[in-house]
Amino acid sequence: MADGLLQLQGVRKHFGGVFALRGVSLEVREGEILGLIGPNGSGKSTLINVAAGYHRLDAGRIRFGGADITDLPPHRRAKMGLARTYQYPRPFGSMNVRDNVAVGALFGRREDVGAPRVAQRSAGQWLELLGLEAAAEKAIGSLTLQERRLLELARVLASGPRIILADEALAGLTPSETERVMEAIRRIQAMGVALLVVEHNVKAISALADRVVVLHEGKVLAEGRPGEVLQHERVRAAYLGGHAGDA
């Protein structure tokens, strides 16, 4: 795992008597999209939370960009370029769309954004990239779920990340909305940003990811190219009910 941008090495996490992660090791490489799938309760969101620094490990190490970040708090990791989105979008409700993205620019790792007016201009760039420029002045309460998910991506993108941990960025979307958010993720990857994408939509993650890791009961069950991993008998039995093609 010497070449990985983000490396989890033997990561363990338990909550009381419940073991969420049981010695997970994986890496996200520079500029790739790594899909993380698995049944409910397999440890996917916990993995995002420990990687982002929201949960402390019980064992194992985490490295990012060659540095050991195991004991760093979330804001230190963010300043290094490790950003995350949430399963349930968390915009600032008192701000409009542009201001939400400007906050990401102000508190990220980019040194060229030091003043609010500069952050506002920067926000416009990211809103245009993700197709949200028409919603720039909208109040948060008027946004659709698709717009909220795109806003989450625009806000973290404005911070200048090297990697984005995206927790179920496609959840709750219609097929056409899913395709629009997938295209936004592809644009982000084209900029050289890596993504770790947690997702339940197997068809979508198969089309989106360069590699896939399958978690099951807090352990890595399989990893590799999507088409290969989803044909593994153990994966079909544990996650897809034996019908990978129908998932």
Side-chain angles (χ1 to χ4, degrees):
M1 292 174 55
D3 298 327
L5 173 61
L6 175 66
Q7 302 171 332
L8 280 69
Q9 303 168 337
V11 168
R12 294 181 179 272
K13 181 64 187 176
H14 66 84
F15 301 95
V18 178
F19 286 82
L21 298 174
R22 302 169 181 259
V24 171
S25 295
L26 62 81
E27 69 172 11
V28 185
R29 300 165 188 165
E30 292 272 6
E32 80 166 340
I33 297 175
L34 179 67
L36 184 64
I37 65 174
N40 289 334
S42 59
K44 302 183 300 298
S45 291
T46 300
L47 188 144
I48 292 286
N49 284 326
V50 299
Y54 288 81
H55 295 324
R56 293 185 64 85
L57 300 183
D58 295 311
R61 309 301 298 175
I62 301 175
R63 298 182 65 82
F64 179 60
D68 191 320
I69 64 169
T70 305
D71 298 319
L72 292 185
H75 71 276
R76 291 279 301 280
R77 301 184 195 205
K79 280 291 186 181
M80 294 173 68
L82 194 157
R84 55 108 28 109
T85 67
Y86 293 88
Q87 183 175 352
Y88 304 102
R90 299 181 179 183
F92 298 106
S94 61
M95 301 179 181
N96 65 20
V97 168
R98 186 190 304 276
D99 288 341
N100 264 271
V101 179
V103 168
L106 279 172
F107 292 96
R109 74 184 185 102
R110 294 181 54 191
E111 296 182 357
D112 59 331
V113 181
R117 65 178 181 278
V118 179
Q120 288 277 340
R121 289 198 298 270
S122 175
Q125 169 190 351
W126 306 118
L127 291 172
E128 182 177 357
L129 178 75
L130 299 188
L132 276 178
E133 63 271 25
E137 309 308 323
K138 277 189 175 183
I140 297 303
S142 68
L143 298 182
T144 65
L145 178 58
Q146 174 192 250
E147 289 173 328
R148 285 172 177 254
R149 295 210 178 279
L150 289 170
L151 172 56
E152 284 264 297
L153 290 170
R155 188 171 61 186
V156 298
L157 190 57
S159 71
R162 297 180 65 187
I163 185 171
I164 296 173
L165 312 178
D167 195 357
E168 298 197 31
L170 306 177
L173 302 179
T174 66
S176 62
E177 291 171 338
T178 295
E179 185 54 44
R180 183 180 174 191
V181 176
M182 287 172 61
E183 180 55 34
I185 290 173
R186 293 188 184 103
R187 289 178 195 157
I188 293 170
Q189 182 191 27
M191 298 173 59
V193 179
L195 296 103
L196 173 59
V197 181
V198 171
E199 189 47 54
H200 281 289
N201 186 328
V202 177
K203 286 185 178 179
I205 206 64
S206 297
L208 188 62
D210 300 301
R211 292 188 301 123
V212 168
V213 169
V214 183
L215 286 186
H216 181 58
E217 296 181 347
K219 299 179 181 179
V220 173
L221 182 65
E223 61 180 299
R225 298 285 185 182
E228 299 169 356
V229 168
L230 296 177
Q231 295 305 315
H232 288 187
E233 185 175 343
R234 289 183 303 166
V235 174
R236 295 163 70 96
Y239 183 58
L240 303 172
H243 301 286
D246 298 333

